[in-house]
Amino acid sequence: MILRRPQTILLLTIFANAADGAASVAVPLYAQGRLGASAALLGTYALVQFSLYVVSALLSGYLADRYGRRRTILLGLVIGGTGLLTAIPVDDRLLLFVPVALIGLGMGMLWPAVEAAMIDGQGSGQIKRATGHFNYSWLGARSVGMVAASVLYVRDANLPFAFSLLFIGLSGIIISLPNAMAIAPWGPPTRFDHGERVSPAKRRLFVNLALLANFCMFFTMGNWRQHLPIFTNQPEIHIVGLSYGILVGSVTVGMFFANALFMRWHGWHYSLRVFIVAQLAMVALLVLFLSTRSYPILISLAFLMGFPSGLVYYASLFYGMEQLDRKGSHGANHEALIGLGVAVGPQLGGWLIVLFQAHDWPFAQRANLL
């Protein structure tokens, strides 16, 4: 029965991420296109949403370890769903802060508990497989959600929020069923000797290094995604609808394919060299993105950004889940640093855009991508 197998958590992840992905695109599109929000205000929406995401994620780790995964997941779905519901009638830039705040609280509450449930009672090899399949699920679903939101927004600005609500409801049904948390192991506990010669001190170092790198990656990509409507609305570019959805979702698609590589290749484990190369590659790709207006090239560069992003995300989740006993707490730290990056990055980027535009400096319209 499917509710006694790992597919349970995958279905939950797919539905919730389809909703989350649609909401992440819908908010900046709605705020900028429908309400005329400035770059600075777009950054402030992200700051509020993901600051609350950080607080909620840290609380979720405690609640998931203390009171159980299911209750914490349901609480996150209810709060996030309320935020999506209240977004539909909003026609004021200040009132939009209410659904933005609730969406941040709900999603922050959800994901640490889901990640902890995913790997409860597993060995190292099973945790790596679980992390890989989890990544396949959330990356694929988020890409679909982003594209769907972009297409639906052209028809009606409220449709992306309704789409998200539908999948939040499906997630709630799945997690409410009696056997939803009876998750079987992710394959046999095969020998997994990738780190036998790695000292405990080095292991702890890489847990913290991966968390820090994850913050930096989401600082950058949160900034890129939140302000992308400003970049694509330039007359000489003007990317909208399905084309916009494909562009914004290409990073996530790249992360999906990168996941296949990192799931099977063990050479990145505890390798500082691989981490450094990934960070340098991201910087180079962003610089190239600034230097072109060709849509196919923009798509290709966005797709390639997914590979360093995918490595950092995989490492951040896997290292701590493999080593630490309090899985919910590590999931909370992992998600909190993601939220902190997405909160701070867009706000600083928005201020930078305003500053560049005020002084008519070169690349004023593109400053948010740095």
Side-chain angles (χ1 to χ4, degrees):
M1 184 177 179
I2 195 168
L3 292 179
R4 294 186 183 274
R5 300 173 184 166
Q7 285 93 324
T8 306
I9 209 73
L10 296 186
L11 282 175
L12 173 64
T13 302
I14 287 168
F15 290 150
N17 259 292
D20 200 3
S24 71
V25 170
V27 169
L29 277 177
Y30 187 90
Q32 199 275 329
R34 186 74 173 267
L35 304 180
S38 66
L41 187 56
L42 286 176
T44 305
Y45 288 134
L47 179 65
V48 170
Q49 179 178 345
F50 288 98
S51 294
L52 292 172
Y53 184 103
V54 171
V55 174
S56 183
L58 292 172
L59 179 60
S60 172
Y62 168 78
L63 293 176
D65 284 337
R66 180 74 182 271
Y67 298 105
R69 319 304 193 201
R70 188 204 301 267
R71 293 176 181 175
T72 309
I73 291 168
L74 282 172
L75 179 59
L77 290 171
V78 169
I79 296 173
T82 302
L84 291 164
L85 187 62
T86 58
I88 292 176
V90 167
D91 59 0
D92 182 87
R93 283 175 283 186
L94 291 179
L95 288 178
L96 188 61
F97 278 106
V98 175
V100 160
L102 289 172
I103 292 169
L105 285 170
M107 294 302 103
M109 185 66 63
L110 177 69
W111 292 118
V114 172
E115 290 158 0
M118 171 189 75
I119 50 77
D120 281 339
Q122 313 296 311
S124 292
Q126 293 166 316
I127 290 173
K128 185 175 185 186
R129 284 194 293 271
T131 304
H133 288 297
F134 173 78
N135 288 344
Y136 279 137
S137 300
W138 82 260
L139 290 165
R142 181 166 287 261
S143 300
V144 171
M146 288 176 173
V147 173
S150 302
V151 173
L152 291 171
Y153 175 81
V154 175
R155 295 179 177 273
D156 188 306
N158 291 318
L159 282 179
F161 298 111
F163 173 92
S164 295
L165 271 172
L166 171 64
F167 282 92
I168 287 289
L170 291 173
S171 301
I173 291 171
I174 289 173
I175 203 64
S176 299
L177 294 174
N179 295 321
M181 302 308 293
I183 301 169
W186 295 77
T190 53
R191 180 178 174 83
F192 194 63
D193 59 359
H194 68 287
E196 286 184 352
R197 291 175 289 180
V198 178
S199 68
K202 186 174 182 179
R203 285 172 175 266
R204 288 192 298 271
L205 171 65
F206 270 81
V207 171
N208 294 324
L209 178 63
L211 287 171
L212 176 61
N214 208 33
F215 162 78
C216 295
M217 187 264 286
F218 276 91
F219 176 100
T220 301
M221 297 314 299
N223 191 12
W224 181 84
R225 183 174 293 121
Q226 188 75 2
H227 296 300
L228 193 61
I230 296 175
F231 175 77
T232 57
N233 276 341
Q234 295 178 87
E236 66 271 26
I237 299 177
H238 194 59
I239 299 170
V240 297
L242 179 60
S243 297
Y244 179 90
I246 292 172
L247 177 61
V248 75
S250 290
V251 175
T252 313
V253 174
M255 291 177 71
F256 183 92
F257 282 93
N259 184 68
L261 171 63
F262 301 129
M263 190 176 178
R264 291 163 178 78
W265 173 49
H266 304 328
W268 59 269
H269 296 156
Y270 304 102
S271 171
L272 183 60
R273 181 182 303 172
V274 172
F275 253 71
I276 292 173
V277 169
Q279 302 307 308
L280 292 176
M282 178 60 82
V283 172
L285 289 167
L286 286 167
V287 170
L288 290 172
F289 197 99
L290 282 170
S291 304
T292 182
R293 299 180 183 182
S294 166
Y295 182 71
I297 295 176
L298 291 172
I299 290 287
S300 301
L301 292 170
F303 173 79
L304 291 174
M305 289 177 201
F307 282 77
S309 300
L311 170 66
V312 168
Y313 184 91
Y314 205 136
S316 175
L317 187 56
F318 169 67
Y319 285 148
M321 290 299 189
E322 179 197 24
Q323 298 178 45
L324 305 178
D325 293 330
R326 298 179 65 193
K327 312 297 186 185
S329 295
H330 177 71
N333 292 334
H334 168 81
E335 293 297 331
L337 284 170
I338 288 175
L340 184 62
V342 181
V344 176
Q347 182 68 85
L348 294 178
W351 288 340
L352 185 63
I353 293 172
V354 171
L355 179 64
F356 272 41
Q357 290 175 337
H359 292 82
D360 198 25
W361 289 344
F363 302 108
Q365 295 290 337
R366 301 182 177 200
N368 59 295
L369 298 175
L370 281 172

